[in-house]
Every structure is written in C-alpha cells, then in structure tokens.
Amino acid sequence: MSGVWTLAELREGQISPVSYELLAWGRSLADSLEVELSSIALGSKIHDVNSLFDHGADIVYKVDDDRIEHFLPDVYSNVITKLAKAYHPQIIIASATTYGRTIMPILSTKLNTGLTADCTKLEIENGTLLQTRPAIGGNVMATIRTQTTPQMATVRPRSKKPISYDKSQRKIVIPKIEDELFKSAYRWMKFEKDESIDSPIQESDIVVSGGRGMKDENHFEMLYELAKKFNGTVGASRTAVDMGWIPYSHQVGLSGKTVNPRLYMAFGISGAIQHIAGMSSSEVVVAVNTDPDAPIFNVADFGIIGDATEILPELLKALGDENG
Amino acid sequence: MRIAVLIKQVPATDKVRMDEKTGTMVRSEMEAELNPLDMYAVEEAVRIKERMKDAHVTAITMGPPAASDAIKDAISIGCDDGYLLTDRRFAGADTWATAYTLSMAIKKLGGFDLIFCGERATDGETGQVGPSVGAQMGIPVLTYVSEISELTGDHIRVKRAIEGGHETVEVDLPALVSVVKEINEPRLPNLSGKLKAKSAIVSNLDAAGMEADQSKIGLGGSPTRVVKVFYPKITRNGKIVRSKDPHTAAKALIEFLKSKEII
Ligand SMILES: Cc1cc2nc3c(=O)[nH]c(=O)nc-3n(C[C@H](O)[C@H](O)[C@H](O)COP(=O)(O)OP(=O)(O)OC[C@H]3O[C@@H](n4cnc5c(N)ncnc54)[C@H](O)[C@@H]3O)c2cc1C
Ligand SMILES: Nc1ncnc2c1ncn2[C@@H]1O[C@H](COP(=O)(O)O)[C@@H](O)[C@H]1O
C-alpha cells in the first residue's frame, strides 16, 4: 500500500489553492496511519510543484503533458486508475469541486470501490478510514466506512486551512504513460470566464448574500460593493435568484452551491432549511433581518434586527471611513 | 434518437427518519416527490424530443413500488414511457450499486444515444450516480451542463458550468449528461399530460429481468456502509441586537467583525 493520495487541481498549469487544503486533510490521515502522503498532479506546463511539498506532500506523482492541458475525464481517470493499480493507495481524496465531483465517481467505478461525497470529517479508526458527511440538507449526519480499497472521499473546498510542512522527502515520481491512454473522446473547445463573479463563490473567504429582503436588483449593488471591500463574493437565496436579481451561479443552498467561508453575511434572508444547508458550516455568520423570529438568527453568531437596505449604506460608509 | 432520463424519488419534507440499525432512510410513511433537480433533466430531454422528430424519451428510476409516481410525473410533462427498477434485493444500495443497477437496466433496454440525469438528488446529495453510470457504461460523461449548444444524430456539444465560468466541450454519442438548474425552466404538466400519465402503464424490471449480478446490487453489493447516524444541532446561540438606527447598527456590526479579527 502506498499511503494516502490527494488529487491536486490545476488551472492553466497553476496549482489551485484547494490542492493545499486537501493536503492538510491528507496530512492528518497519513500521520495517523504513519504512511506517506502523495499528491497527484495532472496537467500541462505545471508550475511550482514544490509548493505541494511545502503544504504537506511527501511525494508528487506528476504527469505533465500538452495533451492534458484541459480536463478530459476519460484520460484523467485512465491515468489515475493506472497509477492506483500500480501503487495501491489506501486512501484517495479530492476536493468537492466540479473537477473532483466528476473524476471521483468515474474513478471509483473503474477501481470498483466505494466513494463518499462532501465529507466534513475524516478520521482513522483501527487503521481504516471513517468518513462523516451531512445528508438531507444537513439534517442528518452519517458516518460511513468503505469496505473496499482504495477508500475514496471528497471534501468540501475551504473546509480546512492549508498547513506548512518542512519534513517532506520532496520526491517527484514521473510515471511512464503509454500514448494509448492519452486518446480522448472529448473535444475540448473553449473556456469563457464568467464576468459577474470574480472568484468561484465556493472558494471565497467572505460571502455576502442577499435575499428577498433586499427588495430589488438595485439594492444588490450594495452587496457587490461590500463584497469588493472584503475581497469576497456575492451570494444569494433562491428567491433572489428566481426574481432575476442575480445569476444562478451565486445561489447558496440545497439546490445551489455549498459554501464555507470565514465570514457569511445574510442580508434579508429568512434562513429556510434549504438555504441553511448551503452555509451552516461557515466559520462566522452574520445576519440582518427585520423579523426577530427569522430562523437565520438561529445560525447567526451576530444578528441585527433591522432593515438591510438602510444598514448597508451606513456599513459601506463606515467601512470607507475605516480604510481612510 | 433514443433518450433516457434517470430520475429519483426523494422525500418531500425535511422530516426524514433514518433507520439507526441499517443507516438507510425510512422511506415509507413520508411524502415523496420527483427530485426537483431531475425536473431540469426531464425538461431538457422533452425539449429535444420536440425539436427532433424521431426522438423517444424514456424515464428510468430505481426505487420502491411507490416510485412509479415519479415516472408518472415525468410522463405528465412529456416523457414517452418509463421503467421502474424495483426488487427487494435492490434495497440499501449505495451510489456504486445504484449506478451498477441503472447501467444494467439501460443495457437491458437496448442502450440509448443520450442519458440525462440531475446534478444531484436532494436527499443523498452526492451527485455521484450520474457520472458513475456513465463510467459503468464506458461512455463519455458531461457533468454540470448548463446549455446544449449543438446536437445532431452523432454528436453533442455542451457548455459546462465550472468554477469561474463555462467550458465548451464536444463528444460523440452515446453520452451521459448531468444538467444544472441554469439549463432551462421546467414546465408544469398540462391537462393532457396529466391524463396521459394517469393511464400510462409503468413497466417494472427486477434483478433477474435485467440479468444483474446478485453480488453487485443492494446493500450486499454496496462497497460503503453507514456505521453511525446522528442529528446535528446547528443552533449557534449568537448575539442578536435590535437596530436603534442604521448608523449605530453598522457600527455594532463593524465592532463585531473586528472582535473576530475579520477586519
Ligand atoms: C427543493 C428545494 C430546494 C431549495 N433550494 C434552495 C437553495 O438552494 N437556496 C435557497 O436559498 N433556497 C432554496 N429553497 C427555497 C427556500 O425554501 C426559501 O424559499 C428561500 O431560501 C427563501 O429565500 P429568502 O430568504 O430570500 O426569502 P424569504 O423567505 O421571503 O425571506 C425574506 C426575509 O427577508 C426579511 N426582510 C424583508 N425585508 C427586509 C429588509 N428590508 N431588511 C432586512 N430583512 C428583510 C424577511 O423578514 C424575511 O425573513 C429551496 C426550496 C425547495 C423546496
Ligand atoms: N435510484 C435512482 N434511480 C434513478 N436515477 C437516480 C437514482 N439515484 C440517483 N439517480 C440519478 O443520479 C442523479 C444524482 O443522484 P445522487 O448521486 O444520488 O445525488 C440524480 O439526479 C438522478 O438523475
């Protein structure tokens, strides 16, 4: 068995931060099992492999090839399957991003093993992995054991802070992959950046969300301004999305995105269970709502009973003063 | 063109009971509905049928006998027919065993050019079943599809909603497509749809009928086991203050953020 593996994630050759968070998860598992932690990096013109060592990896398996500049599910899964069959990892974890959520079920099918999605806790008991995850909008938590190997799981982005690591062996393995495995059924064509969103809402440190209580699209401008001041992104309840005030990619909740930022601010959001499902694991929650009985206050660390559309201008002004 | 839509029946309320012993959901005694995210898959399939004369749409679900209601819902908004995969031995299946069962049924039914599924089910919330079915079938998987830009008898080009934007990719058919909410606005059933659904006969398929390997289905065929189930308390007992005036409220909020070292 070759220990614990994490699937690094790359965008245009650049290692994305979720890869380091994943190494923090992997490090604690590898330490309890007393095995090595490896990171699997697939891509083209990969920069800064060393940063993976700095954040917890002992070994990096690197496949750097022009033909896999973009995510091709068949090639990626074939290559990782080949590596897993050759090196027998005990555990493989990935981030619950669109990449992780696509590649992991394909891999687990090819490797004939179980997979647990969106874990909030991973621990080792008697040498085996226990995976805890929420289900049904966070109403139920289940602890799951996979009886086959590798044991595979995805974890939510932002669910752990990256660590720094100085005991790495810094071993890079460059496996030989036959040309045959690079043949893809996918014809990748282009990527168009979404202009309305600077960074994906799931990866944001601070999410500033609005709901029906924001009253209209114009009031949402204040949320964009606030998000900008915090270097964060704007989220929304389903009602706000349904009203057409903001695109669906910003929706937080059961049928939208799950976020767990350091700070989640809810302006004019009632806190229906389906909304809470997408934000309850945020570190700090602030809510502004005119209704003292709004359920959002149950999950808030700090709440203000008041009018969001009146408090926001004051908040923006005060923050402006703070910054000089 | 033969199109299949994979749909799931999920509990309609948030009052869900779990069987503490087996760790699976107690489905009886609850109100159930068609997984809301699967409506988008059904709608997209039906829209293709409306554009392409020869298209035929089959809804497929695995579940208890009552799940035939989900098939009827799908027929009421335009699917041509449907199959319910039901067998006591399917019970307790995890995503791996569910995907295996669905893929065996698809093979039994003679294969499809396009297989649609939802992004995820609102009960299990894994989003694993779709890609896993595609992998079982050995066909390309297109996840997070927000637009079908081009579809012919032999290929499909889609936009995928991924972090930070949209990616365009193309594959030859057959392919499996999982859709996101952005893709369309599902219709409500009209009267003739409702009547059609009422009289529709939902065909059943069991393990023997689809020649499934008994060791790969249900709880026994599932590589994962639920070892414990618990109900978390999400209340935070935070400080709630009434705003005297917007200015003071904003100041209090800033003080709080400072105390948390956020600003
Ligand atoms: C299957 C399913 C999936 C769903 N998925 C999601 C999901 O992913 N995400 C999601 O968000 N919802 C989801 N919902 C919908 C959810 O149940 C709620 O309807 C929705 O979250 C409500 O949005 P809201 O809080 O903006 O609106 P409302 O519930 O109408 O609440 C508005 C709130 O604003 C307050 N308010 C009004 N005026 C002001 C003001 N001037 N200042 C401050 N506060 C004010 C009100 O007191 C109220 O609490 C889902 C529902 C279902 C059935
Ligand atoms: N029992 C089932 N029968 C048919 N389709 C299913 C079943 N379970 C899941 N699916 C499909 O797979 C998607 C993802 O489900 P899940 O992996 O459970 O989140 C759903 O939106 C459905 O399209």
Side-chain angles (χ1 to χ4, degrees), chain B residues 32-52:
Chain B
E33 63 179 9
L34 173 57
N35 174 28
L37 292 177
D38 292 349
M39 304 279 272
Y40 301 89
V42 173
E43 175 68 31
E44 200 59 25
V46 170
R47 287 190 187 186
I48 292 171
K49 189 187 126 178
E50 288 164 349
R51 283 202 306 271
M52 296 176 110

Side-chain angles (χ1 to χ4, degrees), chain B residues 191-240:
Chain B
L191 189 64
S192 80
K194 280 186 188 155
L195 289 174
K196 189 178 154 215
K198 209 165 187 181
S199 59
I201 296 161
V202 177
S203 320
N204 284 16
L205 204 53
D206 63 8
M210 66 176 76
E211 292 159 64
D213 180 340
Q214 301 282 343
S215 71
K216 293 183 174 173
I217 59 172
L219 186 63
S222 297
T224 63
R225 279 287 179 285
V226 175
V227 291
K228 190 172 75 185
V229 169
F230 55 102
Y231 302 84
K233 230 180 105 245
I234 42 181
T235 309
R236 286 178 188 235
N237 292 320
K239 189 176 165 200
I240 313 295

Side-chain angles (χ1 to χ4, degrees), chain A residues 1-3 5 83-91 150:
Chain A
M1 292 274 192
S2 75
W5 285 13
L83 296 180
K85 286 188 170 157
Y87 297 100
H88 307 287
Q90 178 180 345
I91 293 172

Side-chain angles (χ1 to χ4, degrees), chain B residues 129-185:
Chain B
V129 170
S132 189
V133 168
Q136 286 278 2
M137 312 274 314
I139 60 175
V141 171
L142 299 163
T143 48
Y144 300 95
V145 169
S146 60
E147 185 187 316
I148 296 181
S149 339
E150 196 176 297
L151 176 66
T152 69
D154 60 14
H155 76 267
I156 183 168
R157 182 186 299 172
V158 300
K159 274 193 182 167
R160 301 180 60 232
I162 61 174
E163 288 80 3
H166 292 82
E167 174 182 273
T168 304
V169 279
E170 190 183 275
V171 298
D172 289 341
L173 301 179
L176 181 132
V177 172
S178 82
V179 303
V180 293
K181 224 181 123 172
E182 257 179 286
I183 195 164
N184 59 41
E185 195 59 58

Side-chain angles (χ1 to χ4, degrees), chain A residues 11 71 73 97-99 101-102 105-106 108-110 112-118 130 132-148 185-194 197 200 202-203 206 230 238 242 248 251 253-257 262-263 265 267 273-274 276 279-286 288 292 297-306 310-311 314-315 318-319 322, chain B residues 11 13-16 18 25 36-37 40 94-96 99 119-120 122-129 131-133 135-136 139-144 154-157 159-172 180-182 216 219 222-232 234-247 249-258 260-263:
Chain A
R11 281 187 211 143
F71 173 41
T97 52
T98 60
Y99 169 70
R101 285 172 169 277
T102 303
I106 298 176
S108 82
T109 306
K110 290 193 171 172
N112 266 318
T113 188
L115 169 63
T116 308
D118 261 343
L130 289 185
T132 299
R133 71 177 302 259
I136 324 176
N139 288 315
V140 178
M141 299 293 288
T143 302
I144 292 163
R145 183 173 32 224
T146 305
Q147 298 169 304
T148 46
Y186 294 76
R187 297 183 285 278
W188 191 92
M189 317 199 75
K190 64 177 174 197
F191 176 73
E192 291 154 292
K193 202 166 169 306
D194 179 352
I197 191 162
Q202 307 97 292
E203 290 175 19
I206 294 184
F230 283 141
R238 182 166 101 172
D242 287 349
Y248 167 65
Q251 183 180 318
L254 190 55
S255 52
K257 303 286 188 307
R262 265 192 76 207
L263 172 65
M265 301 180 93
F267 292 94
I273 187 75
Q274 296 89 351
I276 291 179
M279 48 64 71
S280 63
S281 54
S282 305
E283 206 175 304
V284 175
V285 176
V286 168
V288 177
F297 286 133
N298 295 334
V299 295
D301 298 287
F302 188 70
I304 296 180
I305 304 164
E310 288 172 10
I311 293 173
E314 289 296 330
L315 189 60
L319 284 169
E322 297 267 327
Chain B
T13 58
D14 16 295
K15 309 254 174 308
V16 176
M18 299 286 283
M25 253 175 278
L37 292 177
Y40 301 89
D94 70 359
T95 59
W96 194 98
E119 182 189 338
R120 60 196 143 104
T122 53
D123 55 352
E125 297 190 82
T126 75
Q128 289 173 184
V129 170
S132 189
V133 168
Q136 286 278 2
I139 60 175
V141 171
L142 299 163
T143 48
Y144 300 95
D154 60 14
H155 76 267
I156 183 168
R157 182 186 299 172
K159 274 193 182 167
R160 301 180 60 232
I162 61 174
E163 288 80 3
H166 292 82
E167 174 182 273
T168 304
V169 279
E170 190 183 275
V171 298
D172 289 341
V180 293
K181 224 181 123 172
E182 257 179 286
K216 293 183 174 173
L219 186 63
S222 297
T224 63
R225 279 287 179 285
V226 175
V227 291
K228 190 172 75 185
V229 169
F230 55 102
Y231 302 84
I234 42 181
T235 309
R236 286 178 188 235
N237 292 320
K239 189 176 165 200
I240 313 295
V241 298
R242 194 173 278 274
S243 155
K244 289 191 206 66
D245 61 87
H247 179 74
K251 286 280 180 221
L253 190 49
I254 287 175
E255 285 316 310
F256 172 77
L257 296 179
K258 279 185 179 160
K260 292 284 173 190
E261 290 172 13
I262 289 167
I263 53 173

Side-chain angles (χ1 to χ4, degrees), chain A residues 13-255:
Chain A
Q14 212 78 40
I15 295 168
S16 69
V18 290
S19 315
Y20 309 134
E21 296 163 21
L22 210 51
L23 284 167
W25 281 95
R27 193 67 255 166
S28 60
L29 296 176
D31 288 344
S32 0
L33 287 166
E34 296 175 22
V35 296
E36 286 160 337
L37 175 63
S38 305
S39 190
I40 315 299
L42 269 58
S44 161
K45 305 191 179 63
I46 306 175
H47 310 301
D48 208 14
V49 168
N50 276 322
S51 66
L52 293 169
F53 298 126
D54 298 338
H55 289 98
D58 297 306
I59 303 171
V60 171
Y61 290 85
K62 184 170 100 161
V63 181
D64 193 332
D65 193 294
D66 287 347
R67 289 168 290 186
I68 50 171
E69 182 184 353
H70 304 293
F71 173 41
L72 306 171
D74 49 358
V75 179
Y76 277 57
S77 62
N78 285 337
V79 168
I80 301 171
T81 299
K82 183 194 149 105
L83 296 180
K85 286 188 170 157
Y87 297 100
H88 307 287
Q90 178 180 345
I91 293 172
I92 305 180
I93 54 176
S95 222
T97 52
T98 60
Y99 169 70
R101 285 172 169 277
T102 303
I103 190 86
M104 290 292 268
I106 298 176
L107 273 178
S108 82
T109 306
K110 290 193 171 172
L111 292 168
N112 266 318
T113 188
L115 169 63
T116 308
D118 261 343
C119 298
T120 50
K121 188 166 158 195
L122 296 175
E123 62 202 318
I124 303 292
E125 196 184 274
N126 303 327
T128 163
L129 178 68
L130 289 185
Q131 309 154 114
T132 299
R133 71 177 302 259
I136 324 176
N139 288 315
V140 178
M141 299 293 288
T143 302
I144 292 163
R145 183 173 32 224
T146 305
Q147 298 169 304
T148 46
T149 52
Q151 296 174 311
M152 298 179 59
T154 60
V155 294
R156 292 189 173 165
R158 311 208 54 75
S159 49
K160 245 193 184 38
K161 287 206 177 65
I163 51 162
S164 49
Y165 185 64
D166 56 12
K167 293 192 289 265
S168 178
Q169 310 164 19
R170 296 188 175 257
K171 189 167 130 194
I172 297 182
V173 179
I174 300 186
K176 171 122 193 54
I177 310 289
E178 310 85 63
D179 279 342
E180 191 59 32
L181 283 192
F182 285 104
K183 287 212 182 96
S184 182
Y186 294 76
R187 297 183 285 278
W188 191 92
M189 317 199 75
K190 64 177 174 197
F191 176 73
E192 291 154 292
K193 202 166 169 306
D194 179 352
E195 298 302 342
S196 76
I197 191 162
D198 293 329
S199 74
I201 174 166
Q202 307 97 292
E203 290 175 19
S204 210
D205 242 343
I206 294 184
V207 176
V208 181
S209 284
R212 190 201 297 272
M214 289 299 293
K215 295 179 186 161
D216 57 39
E217 193 174 348
N218 293 339
H219 284 113
F220 257 76
E221 288 302 322
M222 291 190 285
L223 296 179
Y224 286 105
E225 213 177 308
L226 184 62
K228 207 160 156 199
K229 284 202 192 305
F230 283 141
N231 234 336
T233 47
V234 178
S237 71
R238 182 166 101 172
T239 305
V241 171
D242 287 349
M243 297 284 205
W245 297 344
I246 184 165
Y248 167 65
S249 55
H250 297 252
Q251 183 180 318
V252 173
L254 190 55
S255 52

